[in-house]
Amino acid sequence: MKKINVILHETTIINFPFFWKLIKRYAFLSMIAPIVSLIVGGYIYYSQKDIYLKSASFKYHVESTDTTSSSIASIIGEKSSGLSINEILGIMNSYDFAKQVAVSLYNRPDLLEFNFTPIKNKDFLNTASYLAPCKENRECKIKKIQQIVPYLYTMEPDRLIENRFWIRVKSLDKKTTLNLTETLITELRRNRINSIKHNLTEQMNLSYELIENKKNELIGVDMLAVRDRKKEVQSNLNEITSKIKSYTSFYHQQKLKLSLAETKYNQTRSTISKRQVAQEDVEVSKKRQELEDKIKKTMSDINSIKLSAKDLSAQDKMIIKQLRSEISNAKNKLSSLGTKGRTISNIVDFLDEKDKESDFNEFDYKVLKGQFVKIEKDYSEMIKKREDLEAESRKLDNILEKYKPAFEYIKLLEQKIVQLKLLESTVISDFIFDKESASVRRFKRTSKSKIILFTVTITLFLMFLITISRYIIDDRIYDTYELEKSFEELTIIGNTPDFD
């Protein structure tokens, strides 16, 4: 038996020059290995089913915002930059998305023409046979489609471009690949829109709840009534203030007039009280004045008689004589009075005049005083009313100030709800798909290059195995090298000659 160490080498393990010599020595057997490998490789390659691949890419558009809320969110560790890569990848791996795709496919009229056979399956999966056990049960069919469809598509992020993703659909049918790709794109957009709408709806519900809580806190406080009353009080306050402002001037004018009238009245009374004379002197002065007036009147009557008649009759003369006698008597009486009462006549006249004037001053003073009392009462009432309005205004201000933050909070929430409703009615998907997508590519599960590499490897292995096996079985020695390696204890004396 030949030693194995003939084909071994100390450095390279396998003695490749000797191995090549063996291949040429057993050339016929060595050709069997590549032929078998080619046959096996070809069978493996051409027995594979054709796989149809369709790729679609989309960009996740994230709006960058620099607002107070986003800043606070980043401070407390809340994510405010949209969906993460794992969340986007999780959409297509979710149960709900698979069900949406299954429902969409079920509603297609050409459903039975689809080929849902997974590319790793050896057996062909007929759609009609696959759904046959469900009969007419819609939910059962949708569930079966939902179970098989996820094996036909994948999604992965782009390695070079941020926020870019690839959807790849692989199936054993070109039509299935195209239609499934379109369905996935449609459902992915719809899923994202529904997700955004759901988020907006949740925010609206939360806002409604917060508004309701705040309103419960404000039960018993009619803020609109308080505001209306505040406006009414402020209007009344402005009106009464303006009225007081104009009334103040009139009030002070009347007060000045009353003060002047009172002073004039008091001065007149004071003057009269200081210039009082004895009653006897007053009577004498009045009697003197009567006698003087009688003398003047009698003299006037005598003159009138003389002027009225050119010739005086006896009767006229008798009358004149009597009148002169009366004048004489009056003068005698006046003479008997002497100077008594003459010095106070002017004083009495002055006092009479002042007494009459005092009556008018007193009347004016009393009238002005009555008017001023009414004016002062009205003025005091206006001041009191203004003070009451100011106190009520301050009270209303305190109420408004106390509950203003709550009402402003409710107002802001109501504005937010309006904005959310507007956003909800105009929601679009933030997944932007490329308008131009790659065409469907057909390929085998195992590529030609892999088959060739596999064939070459198998060929070398078989050639090595066949050649080594044949060499071990062969008992013949073909050259000196084999002899030396096989019988190391023998000494070679010489070589036999070669004869042609």
Side-chain angles (χ1 to χ4, degrees), residues 4 32 47 55 84 87 127 129 136 147 152 162 221 279 319 364 374 384 391 407 415-416 423 450:
I4 298 301
I32 296 175
S47 64
S55 298
S84 65
E87 288 174 333
T127 303
S129 301
E136 299 301 323
Q147 290 172 351
L152 302 180
E162 186 179 2
V221 181
Q279 186 64 28
I319 292 171
D364 292 341
K374 185 177 182 304
K384 180 67 169 58
F407 279 90
Q415 291 176 353
K416 182 179 180 181
L423 288 174
K450 291 183 179 179

Side-chain angles (χ1 to χ4, degrees), residues 254-341:
Q254 291 300 111
K255 187 176 182 180
L256 180 61
K257 287 182 181 180
L258 178 63
S259 179
L260 291 174
E262 183 179 8
T263 301
K264 189 174 181 181
Y265 172 73
N266 292 333
Q267 287 295 331
T268 302
R269 300 304 298 175
S270 175
T271 302
I272 293 174
S273 62
K274 291 179 180 179
R275 303 294 295 273
Q276 292 293 336
V277 294
Q279 186 64 28
E280 183 181 354
D281 293 336
V282 172
E283 290 178 358
V284 172
S285 176
K286 288 182 178 181
K287 190 174 181 180
R288 179 183 289 277
Q289 186 66 35
E290 290 176 356
L291 291 173
E292 288 177 353
D293 291 339
K294 185 176 180 181
I295 293 171
K296 288 180 181 180
K297 184 180 179 184
T298 304
M299 290 294 294
S300 175
D301 292 338
I302 293 173
N303 292 330
S304 297
I305 294 172
K306 287 181 179 181
L307 291 174
S308 62
K310 295 181 179 179
D311 296 327
L312 298 174
S313 62
Q315 187 178 359
D316 293 333
K317 290 180 181 179
M318 181 65 67
I319 292 171
I320 292 172
K321 184 178 179 180
Q322 290 177 355
L323 292 174
R324 285 179 176 172
S325 175
E326 289 179 3
I327 292 172
S328 177
N329 292 331
K331 286 181 178 179
N332 292 331
K333 289 179 180 180
L334 190 62
S335 298
S336 64
L337 294 175
T339 57
K340 190 177 181 181

Side-chain angles (χ1 to χ4, degrees), residues 434-496:
D434 295 338
K435 295 182 180 179
E436 297 181 0
S437 59
S439 58
V440 178
R441 185 166 65 91
R442 187 178 69 175
F443 65 97
K444 302 288 187 179
R445 182 179 177 186
T446 305
S447 63
K448 284 184 179 180
S449 59
K450 291 183 179 179
I451 294 295
I452 291 172
L453 180 60
F454 171 76
T455 302
V456 171
T457 304
I458 293 298
T459 299
L460 293 177
F461 177 74
L462 289 176
M463 287 178 67
F464 178 79
L465 185 61
I466 292 172
T467 302
I468 295 301
S469 299
R470 180 66 183 86
Y471 170 70
I472 293 174
I473 296 172
D474 192 0
D475 292 334
R476 292 173 293 177
I477 296 176
Y478 292 85
D479 55 20
T480 307
Y481 177 76
E482 290 184 60
L483 181 62
E484 290 177 351
K485 288 293 183 180
S486 299
F487 304 98
E488 293 179 353
E489 69 277 4
L490 296 180
T491 301
I492 299 175
I493 301 174
N495 295 328
T496 59

Side-chain angles (χ1 to χ4, degrees), residues 68-112:
T68 305
S69 58
S70 61
S71 301
I72 294 174
S74 62
I75 291 174
I76 64 177
E78 182 181 346
K79 180 178 68 61
S80 59
S81 60
L83 298 176
S84 65
I85 294 177
N86 292 332
E87 288 174 333
I88 296 175
L89 296 176
I91 292 176
M92 293 191 71
N93 297 327
S94 66
Y95 176 86
D96 293 336
F97 182 76
K99 185 173 183 179
Q100 290 174 6
V101 174
V103 172
S104 180
L105 292 174
Y106 175 80
N107 293 329
R108 293 180 66 95
D110 55 349
L111 172 64
L112 298 180

Side-chain angles (χ1 to χ4, degrees), residues 111-117 123-133:
L111 172 64
L112 298 180
E113 299 176 11
F114 282 41
N115 186 351
F116 294 124
T117 305
D123 300 328
F124 178 78
L125 182 64
N126 183 273
T127 303
S129 301
Y130 179 68
L131 300 177

Side-chain angles (χ1 to χ4, degrees), residues 382-396:
M382 286 189 290
I383 294 294
K384 180 67 169 58
K385 185 176 181 181
R386 185 180 67 176
E387 291 175 352
D388 294 340
L389 289 173
E390 288 177 346
E392 186 177 1
S393 178
R394 287 192 297 270
K395 183 179 179 180
L396 293 174

